[in-house]
């Protein structure tokens, strides 16, 4: 029987998966926003030093505390632990508003068994107390709603992982909300961490060292792309600072 033909009172074949470390300040709000999902699974980094695991246990019995290896490997682990046909990945500092929840329900109810392997969801980012309008922060599409048997993350990736899907994708319209950076200092610190991880991943894959001219040209091109092409200027002084960083 296809998803479209399932009875109206049949449970939605969906798991919400959250990967968390030291997320006590955000996790409850995240899990409350996915309370409509039949199964909630939280994979906790064993290095967590706060109440992340105990908070997760208030919302779901499916809490797994394991040694962290990499984000792609943790996401593959979540796919392996899930038992439903579909998995929705949500980060602890993200929220699924009611409009997106309804759109996800409707999309999965209409989906035929093998006609789609995943859905891209637009993400709206809040930085320094403002909802961003450009520079790639909106619409920041994320491939988060996955058919479990068709998705796999590259274990060699370290950051900004995107799954490989055996099948076509579609796009949803309603946004996922991301409470991203509270301060510019937090933004800069995370960008440095991401840059280190990306450099290590490229080195491990045998990528050639950058040319000297690239150390100037590539940042300049990226600034132009963020500030001009992707409309970072629409966010005023904050957009200029973020594009420059």
């Amino acid at each position: 029987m296809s998803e479209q033909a399932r009875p109206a009172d049949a449970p939605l074949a969906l798991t919400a998966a959250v990967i968390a470390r030291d997320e006590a300040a955000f996790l409850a709000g995240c899990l409350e926003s996915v309370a409509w999902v039949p199964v909630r699974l939280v994979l906790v980094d064993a290095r967590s030093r706060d109440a992340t695991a105990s908070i997760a246990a208030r919302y779901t019995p499916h809490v797994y505390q394991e040694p962290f290896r990499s984000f792609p490997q943790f996401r593959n682990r979540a796919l392996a632990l899930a038992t439903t046909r579909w998995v929705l990945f949500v980060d602890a500092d993200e929220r699924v508003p009611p409009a997106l929840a309804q759109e996800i329900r409707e999309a999965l109810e209409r989906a035929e068994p093998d006609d789609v392997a995943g859905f891209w969801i637009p993400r709206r980012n809040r930085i320094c107390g403002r909802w961003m309008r450009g520079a790639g922060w909106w619409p920041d599409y994320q491939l988060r709603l996955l058919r479990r048997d068709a998705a796999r993350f590259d274990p060699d990736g370290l950051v900004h992982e995107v799954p490989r899907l055996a099948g076509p994708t579609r796009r949803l319209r309603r946004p996922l909300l991301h409470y991203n950076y509270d301060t510019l200092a937090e933004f800069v610190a995370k960008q440095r961490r991401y840059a280190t991880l990306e450099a290590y991943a490229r080195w491990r894959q045998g990528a050639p060292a950058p040319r000297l001219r690239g150390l100037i040209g590539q940042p300049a091109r990226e600034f132009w792309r963020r500030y001009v092409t992707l409309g970072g200027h629409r966010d005023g002084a904050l957009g200029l600072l973020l594009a420059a960083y």
Side-chain angles (χ1 to χ4, degrees), residues 208-223:
R211 297 179 180 180
L212 183 60
R213 66 184 182 185
L215 298 178
I216 299 174
Q218 185 60 30
R221 287 190 293 272
E222 180 64 10
F223 172 83

Side-chain angles (χ1 to χ4, degrees), residues 162-181:
V162 176
R164 297 173 178 172
L165 294 184
T169 62
R170 295 178 185 168
R171 288 194 174 195
L172 301 182
R173 295 183 301 106
R174 301 295 186 177
L176 178 69
L177 304 182
H178 187 198
Y179 292 85
N180 205 336
Y181 305 105

Side-chain angles (χ1 to χ4, degrees), residues 41-52:
L41 184 157
V42 182
L43 197 55
V44 180
D45 183 345
R47 297 173 296 176
S48 283
R49 295 163 295 179
D50 64 7
T52 295

